[in-house]
Amino acid sequence: IKTGKKWYDLLKKQLLYSIISRQSADGGWYHGEWTDDMESHFRLHCGGIHLLLDAYEENKDKVVLVALQKAVNFIVNQKDETEKGAWFLHDSLEKSEEDLNKYPFSWKKNRLFGKSATNLLVLNTHLDTSMALERYSRLTGDRQYKKIVKSAQKTTHAVLSLNSANVLYKIIFKIIKLTILPEQKAKQLPLPLRAVKRIGWKYLIPRLHYVKSIFPRLVMPGGYIDRALSLKSFSHEYQTVNIWDLIRYQSCFSDDSFEHILIEALEFTQNSGIREYWKESKEKQHALGFWVEALYRLCLLNQNKKYIDWLAMAIIDLEDIGIGLPPSLLGGNGEAVPFKEQSKCPLNFEENLSVANLSYGRNICVLIVNSTESHRIIKSDSESYDSFSWVTKKGKVENHSFEIKIHSREWVFGTYAQEKV
């Protein structure tokens, strides 16, 4: 749909039927991510469900529907029943202590809300599974899992509302914030703060799980959202995954209960220095890819110029480190934009400009980013481009005969509404 090239359709079908052919008889996909036992990683399983949902929405293929029904019936049973409701597990290793001890990461038992000791309470997969089941219900009309999804939503609210030991965590995360500064900023810290920073990464972070076991919470003061409750590791690169999932969750369930959490998390990620820290570390750079995914989804919901600017800056970061842009930016993410509402990227420009397609239905929107060190001119003789209204970070652009200058490491954002046919 984005290029008109038929061989992409062939690739789509090849991927689709490869996914279906690898599905096990019980409906699951088994990956052997961490052990030789071929365990199932449920976040990856949900990725398979979302792909099947995209295909089913597009063609209503009965073969796809059967695979979907099996996949959903499998994942709906991968849960732990807590006092608050259902919690979807992250990995099949969480089913027993024997299996979980094969996990390459250390963990600590915790019985929050009467959950199973082996339930690590990993946030991202719980959210993703909830959304996959809700989306399945909407696209197929199969409502048999609605009660379980409602139960999972209650547990989500309970976990994200935890706010114990607020003063203690404020102090802890002020210290931790020093450990995730980019190198240049870290070197500029005065000696006392450098000493505190050393205490943070050497002694505090390795023992953070002890504090969480006494005062359980995932949403921390200041905007940081932790990955899981019972893992001993501190994986700050999951910050952008959690933000991405919360934006998706908000959109999926039309639930703005966590708007304050989301805003604080967005501000922390944009302004704390953690993005520059990730940029410097090759092992952590993937977090920036999820940051772009999160901002793309945010800008579909809210085209505030501040968020458009953040998305443009994030795109420049990815271009700087050379890891490529998420395919979602082309506008073909079926979960973000339903198939019937998708439009191909409305404008084509030279290779050294990055384009994000933020179109939805009749609202055609395009963000054009110049990540190079020199200005670029975008121009066209086509009268159709005259319909666009263009803005930059500094304000509205008046375009005549469609010629707009984009300064180095700047952006322009164009919109117009198509008339009903």
Side-chain angles (χ1 to χ4, degrees), residues 79-140:
K79 65 183 185 301
D80 180 32
E81 291 294 342
T82 77
E83 294 166 358
K84 299 294 182 179
W87 185 270
F88 293 113
L89 300 176
H90 179 64
D91 196 294
S92 58
L93 296 176
E94 291 178 272
K95 292 295 188 72
S96 73
E97 287 194 32
E98 181 183 359
D99 287 340
L100 196 55
N101 286 332
K102 299 175 185 178
Y103 204 49
F105 308 106
S106 299
W107 61 286
K108 184 175 176 61
K109 291 183 182 180
N110 187 293
R111 291 284 190 174
L112 175 69
F113 298 147
K115 74 176 184 64
S116 300
T118 54
N119 174 0
L120 300 176
L121 212 79
V122 177
L123 179 62
N124 73 84
T125 304
H126 171 74
L127 296 178
D128 195 41
T129 305
S130 301
M131 290 182 282
L133 291 173
E134 177 68 13
R135 189 178 173 212
Y136 166 80
S137 174
R138 291 176 184 175
L139 287 181
T140 65

Side-chain angles (χ1 to χ4, degrees), residues 56-270:
Y56 182 72
E57 183 184 16
E58 186 175 349
N59 294 317
K60 299 296 186 290
D61 189 321
K62 291 183 179 179
V63 173
V64 174
L65 180 59
V66 170
L68 256 177
Q69 291 168 336
K70 290 169 59 180
V72 168
N73 186 59
F74 172 85
I75 198 63
V76 81
N77 293 304
Q78 312 307 319
K79 65 183 185 301
D80 180 32
E81 291 294 342
T82 77
E83 294 166 358
K84 299 294 182 179
W87 185 270
F88 293 113
L89 300 176
H90 179 64
D91 196 294
S92 58
L93 296 176
E94 291 178 272
K95 292 295 188 72
S96 73
E97 287 194 32
E98 181 183 359
D99 287 340
L100 196 55
N101 286 332
K102 299 175 185 178
Y103 204 49
F105 308 106
S106 299
W107 61 286
K108 184 175 176 61
K109 291 183 182 180
N110 187 293
R111 291 284 190 174
L112 175 69
F113 298 147
K115 74 176 184 64
S116 300
T118 54
N119 174 0
L120 300 176
L121 212 79
V122 177
L123 179 62
N124 73 84
T125 304
H126 171 74
L127 296 178
D128 195 41
T129 305
S130 301
M131 290 182 282
L133 291 173
E134 177 68 13
R135 189 178 173 212
Y136 166 80
S137 174
R138 291 176 184 175
L139 287 181
T140 65
D142 183 351
R143 301 179 60 83
Q144 63 177 302
Y145 306 116
K146 296 290 285 185
K147 186 176 180 180
I148 297 174
V149 173
K150 286 288 185 184
S151 176
Q153 285 181 268
K154 290 180 181 178
T155 320
T156 300
H157 278 257
V159 170
L160 292 180
S161 298
L162 291 167
N163 62 354
S164 59
N166 211 46
V167 174
L168 175 61
Y169 278 118
K170 278 184 179 179
I171 296 170
I172 287 173
F173 276 87
K174 280 187 177 180
I175 297 172
I176 288 177
K177 191 174 177 180
L178 296 173
T179 71
I180 52 178
L181 288 174
E183 184 178 3
Q184 202 57 39
K185 287 185 180 179
K187 286 180 178 179
Q188 294 171 358
L189 291 173
L191 187 60
L193 284 182
R194 287 164 66 182
V196 172
K197 176 178 179 289
R198 181 177 177 83
I199 291 171
W201 68 260
K202 192 170 185 179
Y203 300 106
L204 179 57
I205 289 176
R207 292 166 177 79
L208 182 60
H209 61 278
Y210 290 117
V211 183
K212 288 178 6 184
S213 67
I214 301 169
F215 305 110
R217 66 187 290 176
L218 294 183
V219 178
M220 301 299 177
Y224 180 78
I225 304 174
D226 213 353
R227 178 195 179 194
L229 183 67
S230 300
L231 284 171
K232 292 184 179 181
S233 58
F234 179 66
S235 304
H236 53 74
E237 60 270 30
Y238 275 86
Q239 171 77 356
T240 53
V241 176
N242 289 332
I243 292 173
W244 177 45
D245 287 336
L246 282 174
I247 293 169
R248 295 170 57 221
Y249 189 92
Q250 185 181 55
S251 176
C252 178
F253 292 104
S254 300
D255 184 354
D256 60 0
S257 305
F258 312 121
E259 183 74 11
H260 61 293
I261 294 173
L262 191 53
I263 290 174
E264 198 168 21
L266 286 162
E267 293 286 348
F268 170 84
T269 308
Q270 179 67 19

Side-chain angles (χ1 to χ4, degrees), residues 1-2 5-19 51 54-55 58-59 332 339 342:
I1 187 172
K2 301 297 157 289
K5 295 179 180 178
K6 292 184 178 180
W7 67 280
Y8 280 122
D9 284 331
L10 297 175
L11 286 176
K12 281 170 58 179
K13 289 178 181 177
Q14 176 65 42
L15 177 61
L16 172 64
Y17 290 119
S18 294
I19 292 291
L51 186 145
D54 284 351
E58 186 175 349
N59 294 317
F339 181 74
Q342 292 178 12

